[in-house]
Amino acid sequence: MDINYWNKICKNYQSEVLSVFDNDLHGLVKQRVGKIAQEEEIERAADIGCGVGRFTPLLAEQFEEVEACDLSSVGLKNAKRRCSQQDNINFYQVDLVSEAIPFAPVDFAFCVNVLIMPSLDQRLRAWRSVTNQVNRGGTLLLVVPSLESVQMEFYSNVERRLSDGEGCGEAVRNSIDEKARASDLRLGVHQLDGVRTKHYLKDEIAQMLEEHEFEIQEISKLMYSEDEHTHFSQWDWLATATRK
């Protein structure tokens, strides 16, 4: 993966990234982490792709030991600073695509908007790395961008343009991303803040988890606030699953 790109993102995190931590409309992620910590006997957890460590302190409060890893050295530096008051976190720099994760599998793995590489080969490698890091009987909490959300936003934009007086052809043309490649669209790869990003169908997530020997507990919409200009509310998918 491109470490320079991710270092740039982490250096300008607030302006570059829609933070799930800050924009989770109903606090769904925090609720699920708390529920898992309360109902399951888990000592070690992992924040896989921790970035600048927005969720890492939450995990450290809920579990005895947390393993946190990321590709970006800048992200890890910020995460360590954010977690400086907590002594139960171990940090590692690792490329999920090309390197083995340098800690033993855990009973709870937390992975938010990490499996989003546009390359199918890289993405499948990362999927294997993440899922193999969960012990049998352990739980994975996964957040990924929603392809259905992208499609609904497109239809919403078309409807809005029609209401503004544009013709059908014009409304469709003005709503299409001109940079999109046909091959990308077939694989669910869309531009997100100008970056080619994998988006997932709900059924696709279910199939991927089942192929990696996970039993699905939940796949829910993780809603974000309504955009003040388009009045559309985007969502990601939040999945929890148990490794068989």
Side-chain angles (χ1 to χ4, degrees), residues 20-21 24 26-42 44-47 54-66 107-112 139-143 218 222 238-240:
V20 177
F21 183 90
D24 178 357
H26 303 298
L28 193 63
V29 175
K30 296 175 187 176
Q31 291 175 22
R32 294 302 183 270
V33 170
K35 184 173 184 287
I36 290 167
Q38 185 176 24
E39 295 181 355
E40 302 180 24
E41 294 183 4
I42 297 172
R44 293 176 60 248
D47 190 352
R54 295 298 283 133
F55 281 105
T56 314
L58 172 67
L59 299 181
E61 291 170 3
Q62 298 285 354
F63 305 102
E64 290 187 18
E65 185 176 3
V66 175
D107 291 324
F108 175 57
F110 180 88
C111 186
V112 173
T139 299
L140 171 66
L141 188 155
L142 182 70
V143 174
E218 168 194 27
L222 195 164
L238 182 151
T240 56

Side-chain angles (χ1 to χ4, degrees), residues 52-222:
V52 298
R54 295 298 283 133
F55 281 105
T56 314
L58 172 67
L59 299 181
E61 291 170 3
Q62 298 285 354
F63 305 102
E64 290 187 18
E65 185 176 3
V66 175
E67 315 285 6
C69 65
D70 200 84
L71 173 66
S72 168
S73 58
V74 175
L76 287 169
K77 182 179 180 180
N78 290 337
K80 289 176 182 178
R81 186 183 303 118
R82 190 184 302 278
C83 302
S84 60
Q85 300 302 310
Q86 293 163 301
D87 60 4
N88 61 334
I89 308 170
N90 303 308
F91 290 96
Y92 308 85
Q93 185 174 7
V94 63
D95 186 335
L96 296 176
V97 172
S98 61
E99 299 173 341
I101 294 180
F103 53 84
V106 297
D107 291 324
F108 175 57
F110 180 88
C111 186
V112 173
N113 282 342
V114 173
L115 301 174
I116 59 176
M117 307 82 171
S119 163
L120 177 60
D121 177 66
Q122 290 187 359
R123 195 163 63 249
L124 292 178
R125 289 171 184 264
W127 264 93
R128 284 192 292 271
S129 293
V130 171
T131 54
N132 285 339
Q133 211 58 31
V134 183
N135 286 322
R136 301 286 177 184
T139 299
L140 171 66
L141 188 155
L142 182 70
V143 174
V144 291
S146 164
L147 184 54
E148 289 91 338
S149 178
V150 171
Q151 290 297 105
M152 287 305 300
E153 185 173 20
F154 168 77
Y155 290 126
S156 175
N157 286 338
V158 171
E159 290 294 324
R160 178 170 51 83
R161 290 179 179 280
L162 290 173
S163 298
D164 289 342
E166 294 184 11
C168 291
E170 183 183 13
V172 170
R173 285 193 301 273
N174 289 335
S175 299
I176 291 175
D177 180 4
E178 295 180 353
K179 297 179 181 179
R181 309 174 186 175
S183 58
D184 275 354
L185 297 181
R186 294 190 186 98
L187 291 171
V189 176
H190 288 258
Q191 297 281 334
L192 185 62
D193 297 326
V195 179
R196 293 170 62 234
T197 303
K198 168 62 180 171
H199 292 66
Y200 291 82
L201 294 167
K202 183 178 182 180
D203 287 348
E204 181 183 7
I205 301 166
Q207 182 170 324
M208 289 293 292
L209 288 169
E210 288 168 359
E211 288 177 355
H212 287 83
E213 301 183 323
F214 278 78
E215 181 179 349
I216 298 161
Q217 304 301 324
E218 168 194 27
I219 302 179
S220 299
K221 286 184 178 181
L222 195 164

